[in-house]
Amino acid sequence: AQLPTTSGNTLPPGAPANPIHVALPAGWSDVGPAALGMGPGSVDSDGYYIIESPLTGRTFSGPQAKIYEERDTSGHVNLLSVPFPATISAVDLLDYTQLNSGEIAPYMEQLLTAVRDYALRNGLTADDVIVTGYSLGAAYTNIMAKYADTLAGGFFADSSYVAHAVPYTYAG
């Protein structure tokens, strides 16, 4: 499976195209909606799971996540990853206004409950889940970490959280 790529089509005319093709590491793959017990409408056209926004609802490029799994040579799932992407469009900017309040946390519940159930069906614990994000995705990572004791029944309390380039949020 390929990670989402940039085709260079957004460059000005005449600019040299420099496509980025990033493959998942060996043993890693997408976890599709069927595996999580979710319908095909739970992902957008780019394969991101849609998380409804308390401000903008279900919109293209609003809050999103990918779900990846690592399997061993026997085909058993060893690890899960929940990466949240960075700001993708102007729609995302509206969601910055609710980062401090944590309003988005309950909207993550449906997807995270499906990930928890998938982890449990595969004999995994929270220690086998890595949550990460960059920029706006880092803020969502931190929100998930902040509410880990309650989201999906507290399953993710012992997961690993790695956030990069976190937008400034007030923790007070």
Side-chain angles (χ1 to χ4, degrees):
Q2 289 268 55
L3 291 171
T5 60
T6 335
S7 65
N9 293 335
T10 58
L11 296 174
N18 189 12
I20 299 170
H21 300 284
V22 181
L24 291 169
W28 284 88
S29 60
D30 281 316
V31 178
L36 294 181
M38 300 178 78
S42 62
V43 294
D44 66 17
S45 61
D46 294 322
Y48 286 97
Y49 285 92
I50 301 165
I51 300 169
E52 185 174 342
S53 164
L55 299 175
T56 58
R58 283 181 63 90
T59 59
F60 174 76
S61 82
Q64 340 173 273
K66 284 289 235 174
I67 310 299
Y68 296 118
E69 65 184 4
E70 179 193 51
R71 290 182 177 261
D72 63 20
T73 55
S74 302
H76 297 103
V77 179
N78 291 326
L79 294 170
L80 292 175
S81 178
V82 180
F84 294 99
T87 303
I88 295 174
S89 77
V91 171
D92 290 334
L93 298 178
L94 296 171
D95 288 311
Y96 272 77
T97 64
Q98 53 81 40
L99 294 178
N100 287 325
S101 70
E103 286 177 72
I104 190 73
Y107 292 81
M108 297 175 167
E109 186 72 31
Q110 180 183 9
L111 175 61
L112 296 181
T113 298
V115 172
R116 175 204 63 200
D117 294 349
Y118 184 75
L120 292 173
R121 281 194 307 274
N122 283 282
L124 303 178
T125 68
D127 289 326
D128 302 312
V129 180
I130 303 163
V131 182
T132 188
Y134 177 81
S135 189
L136 178 58
Y140 291 147
T141 299
N142 283 346
I143 289 168
M144 187 175 160
K146 180 178 181 178
Y147 296 98
D149 290 336
T150 57
L151 286 171
F155 177 80
F156 297 98
D158 294 326
S159 294
S160 297
Y161 294 87
V162 181
H164 304 278
V166 183
Y168 177 76
T169 56
Y170 177 71

